[in-house]
Amino acid sequence: MPILNKYKFEFVDIEYKKEGGQWYLRLFIDKDGGITVDDCQLVSEALSDMLDEIDPIDHAYIFEVSSPGIERPLKTERDYKRSLNKELEIKFYEPYEGKKVIEAVLVDFDEKKVILDYNGENIEIKKDIIAIMKPLIKF
């Protein structure tokens, strides 16, 4: 998207879903140093006009531009690189060794697998059994 390139914003994700009877189209963006409300407004205004013009969705919806937040799930290679040697929360589609959720440190990754330091031991897990990996935030 030219507007993202112009301001060096990173496209993170897009979702289209119904919540409370209303449809939402959400665009998640990021940049070094984090996204501000003004950044979201800039992109929202530019893309709202374009969406109104091409009208890709045939019913009413709310368009939002947002930061992915601090608990942003790992999706891109950049996300994985940013999370190396950091503690993560990993949720599985099916229990892994009896657990649906574990906390571990990301040691390495490639397209198909991750290597995690889990309880002081390196384990290799295929990405296709992982539902969500996100930074572990402790308060």
Side-chain angles (χ1 to χ4, degrees), residues 4-137:
L4 299 183
N5 293 337
K6 179 179 179 180
Y7 293 100
K8 296 186 169 93
F9 297 148
E10 173 190 359
F11 168 80
V12 174
D13 201 5
I14 192 162
E15 70 179 16
Y16 181 64
K17 67 187 205 176
K18 194 171 191 177
E19 294 177 359
Q22 181 66 48
W23 283 95
Y24 288 85
L25 176 63
R26 289 190 183 101
L27 176 69
F28 296 93
I29 60 174
D30 205 357
K31 72 176 183 186
D32 290 338
I35 288 293
T36 66
V37 172
D38 290 339
D39 296 333
C40 292
Q41 181 178 352
L42 177 74
V43 173
S44 178
E45 288 173 357
L47 293 181
S48 287
D49 291 343
M50 186 179 79
L51 287 168
D52 288 344
E53 202 173 293
I54 62 174
D55 199 21
I57 300 171
D58 64 359
H59 57 271
Y61 62 93
I62 296 170
F63 178 59
E64 297 178 345
V65 178
S66 179
S67 161
I70 60 173
E71 288 189 310
R72 156 193 188 157
L74 280 61
K75 293 189 178 208
T76 67
E77 182 175 353
R78 186 174 176 190
D79 294 336
Y80 281 87
K81 285 181 180 177
R82 200 179 359 234
S83 296
L84 280 170
N85 301 311
K86 294 187 178 163
E87 200 167 4
L88 304 174
E89 178 181 74
I90 300 96
K91 295 182 181 180
F92 300 99
Y93 291 112
E94 299 291 329
Y96 173 80
E97 296 187 0
K99 296 185 178 186
K100 273 288 261 188
V101 180
I102 65 170
E103 296 173 4
V105 174
L106 181 62
V107 175
D108 201 3
F109 68 94
D110 64 26
E111 290 179 21
K112 296 186 181 202
K113 68 181 180 312
V114 293
I115 298 173
L116 303 169
D117 177 348
Y118 178 60
N119 294 331
E121 191 176 315
N122 280 2
I123 59 173
E124 184 177 301
I125 299 178
K126 292 182 180 180
K127 285 183 179 178
D128 62 0
I129 70 166
I130 297 172
I132 294 176
M133 279 182 48
K134 62 183 184 178
L136 180 64
I137 308 297

